[in-house]
Amino acid sequence: MSAADARDAYAVETIDLSKHFGAVRAVDELSVSIPHEGITSIVGPNGSGKSTLVNLLSGVLPLDGGLVILDGVRLRVVKAHETPEHGVTRTFQEVRLFDQISVRDNIMVVLTSRRLLPALLERTTVAHTERTEQILREVGMWEKRDSLAQELSYGQRKLLEIGRALALDVRTYLFDEPFAGLFPEMLERVKEIVVRMRDEGRTLIFISHNMDIVRELPDHLIVLDSGRLLTEGEVHDVLSREEVIEAYLGD
């Protein structure tokens, strides 16, 4: 496969990717290829390396070994502030917002300088304003536009963080436990957003412990165990494999 073909086929690849915490091999020479097309879910028992993998892919943690390939670009060092340049952004299990400013300004910060103080001082354009409204309507948060982020419910905070990710307008989105802790109505709203993003041609990669969602949403499934790839493939096929039932579903 040529470099151009790889860029078209895979959003994210790893080659012998490693991360150690003392004697613990959180990610252990892991090689995976995540397709551009569709939704991919990363699952596995607690301690299998799921969140560590996302932290490595997004530059939150430094690599101890191996390669990360983002949209065809081979990287031995992944810098968090540079991942949008490679078409990748993420959300966190513990939502990260600017709590002291409004919902609207949380989006505007991303659309302008992406730093809080310069963004608040920067003169906004009609394009910024229109794009902010579009994003907040997409995630169902337009009615809360003037509320401070700290006033939002947990589910609303999740929606706003997804909105901030959308504001970066990249191709690939890494979502760390986007459905965790949500009431049914809010969970359905997040599911709708994820499906819509996929239908618009974006690549979605998410971690989840919710097996009902894992059975329903992804097109591709990656199962980790002890920092290594246990198996991967089409969802229903993977979930029926004995090694997956033993390592994960049988917990």
Side-chain angles (χ1 to χ4, degrees), residues 13-229:
E13 298 174 83
T14 69
I15 299 175
D16 296 332
L17 186 64
S18 296
K19 183 64 185 178
H20 305 158
F21 298 104
V24 177
R25 295 176 177 266
V27 173
D28 190 8
E29 298 184 351
L30 178 67
S31 297
V32 294
S33 297
I34 300 176
H36 268 301
E37 186 175 348
I39 299 172
T40 296
S41 183
I42 303 171
V43 302
N46 290 333
S48 61
K50 303 181 296 298
S51 290
T52 301
L53 173 58
V54 169
N55 286 335
L56 293 172
L57 296 177
S58 58
V60 173
L61 290 174
L63 282 59
D64 287 339
L67 279 173
V68 169
I69 306 174
L70 300 179
D71 206 21
V73 179
R74 300 165 69 90
L75 301 167
R76 291 193 180 275
V77 176
V78 182
K79 298 180 180 179
H81 67 278
E82 293 180 353
T83 54
E85 297 174 15
H86 300 298
V88 177
T89 191
R90 67 165 296 173
T91 66
F92 290 84
Q93 185 172 356
E94 298 296 329
V95 180
R96 301 185 181 187
L97 302 172
F98 292 117
D99 283 337
Q100 304 299 320
I101 65 174
S102 71
V103 166
R104 189 196 328 246
D105 285 340
N106 262 275
I107 301 297
M108 201 72 75
V109 165
V110 181
L111 292 175
T112 53
S113 73
R114 298 178 190 168
R115 290 181 297 147
L116 181 56
L117 184 57
L120 294 176
L121 296 175
E122 182 177 336
R123 190 170 186 175
T124 58
T125 67
V126 172
H128 290 144
T129 301
E130 290 178 348
R131 179 60 179 149
T132 297
E133 179 176 351
Q134 179 186 9
I135 290 167
L136 290 177
R137 289 191 182 281
E138 284 183 22
V139 298
M141 290 295 292
W142 178 243
E143 298 303 318
K144 291 286 186 178
R145 60 191 178 276
D146 294 322
S147 299
L148 295 180
Q150 66 184 6
E151 298 171 350
L152 301 178
S153 69
Y154 176 75
Q156 291 167 339
R157 290 172 65 82
K158 286 265 193 180
L159 292 176
L160 181 54
E161 189 179 39
I162 291 172
R164 284 168 53 84
L166 283 170
L168 284 168
D169 196 24
V170 297
R171 187 172 182 181
T172 300
Y173 294 81
L174 303 168
F175 288 170
D176 191 352
E177 293 284 2
F179 309 102
L182 298 180
F183 289 115
E185 181 180 350
M186 194 64 71
L187 188 146
E188 289 301 320
R189 187 180 297 182
V190 174
K191 283 165 56 176
E192 289 171 4
I193 293 169
V194 168
V195 170
R196 184 169 66 244
M197 291 173 69
R198 178 199 63 192
D199 293 346
E200 291 171 349
R202 296 180 173 97
T203 303
L204 278 296
I205 304 165
F206 73 86
I207 295 171
S208 182
H209 283 95
N210 187 322
M211 294 311 296
D212 289 334
I213 289 174
V214 168
R215 291 184 182 94
E216 176 186 354
L217 280 186
D219 305 287
H220 185 76
L221 194 58
I222 292 174
V223 184
L224 302 182
D225 191 24
S226 300
R228 289 180 171 270
L229 177 66

